Structures are given as structure tokens and as C-alpha cells.
Amino acid sequence: MNEELENIHITDVEYMHDYTMNLEFSNGERRIVDFEPLLTGKLREPLRDLNNFIQFGLTEWTLEWYNGVDFAPDFLYSVGKVA
């Protein structure tokens, strides 16, 4: 893994629509992430309900949802599309 991405974190989030967010990372780049294909498995499945999905917060390093689900910032950076 790229050492630069190991320390990357999310500094700002803009909810766009459906399961899409515009994330700003600590390197100053913005990436648009579609979370819909990422919402699989027992813990993430409840987030397919948009009322649950929008219940997120920005922690010191990433997004976290009401039920404790989070994603590694370097992963979100790698799957995001340049904004």
C-alpha cells in the first residue's frame, strides 16, 4: 500500500443523493463515492435503508454510521471518483 494513503483521512463530507457522497481527504483531494455497492453483509445491510444511511457522522479520520459501521479512508479514496 502507498505510504501516503496509509495516513490519509476524511476532512469533510457532503451528502449528495441516494448513496453518494463527496468526500474531501487530508491531501486536499475530493472524491465522489457511491456507497450502494459497498453495503453488503450483516452490519452494512441496514444502511440500504436511506433513513439509516443518512445517519452518519464525521469522526477524526472517517465516516461512521449510527450502528458503528465505518470504512477505511484509504479504501474510500481508492474507490472514489475524482470530483
Side-chain angles (χ1 to χ4, degrees), residues 16-79:
M16 297 176 73
H17 57 83
D18 299 327
Y19 302 96
T20 305
M21 295 187 191
N22 186 335
L23 305 179
E24 182 177 355
F25 292 86
S26 55
N27 65 357
E29 289 189 40
R30 286 194 157 276
R31 303 264 173 141
I32 296 173
V33 177
D34 178 5
F35 284 86
E36 187 170 20
L38 308 177
L39 301 179
T40 60
K42 185 178 180 179
L43 289 176
R44 295 177 180 162
E45 191 70 31
L47 300 180
R48 288 194 165 277
D49 178 334
L50 278 175
N51 290 322
N52 292 334
F53 182 75
I54 61 172
Q55 294 183 47
F56 66 89
L58 181 60
T59 68
E60 291 182 22
W61 68 288
T62 194
L63 298 177
E64 185 174 317
W65 277 264
Y66 74 99
N67 62 352
V69 168
D70 64 8
F71 293 88
D74 57 327
F75 172 74
L76 295 176
Y77 184 87
S78 69
V79 300

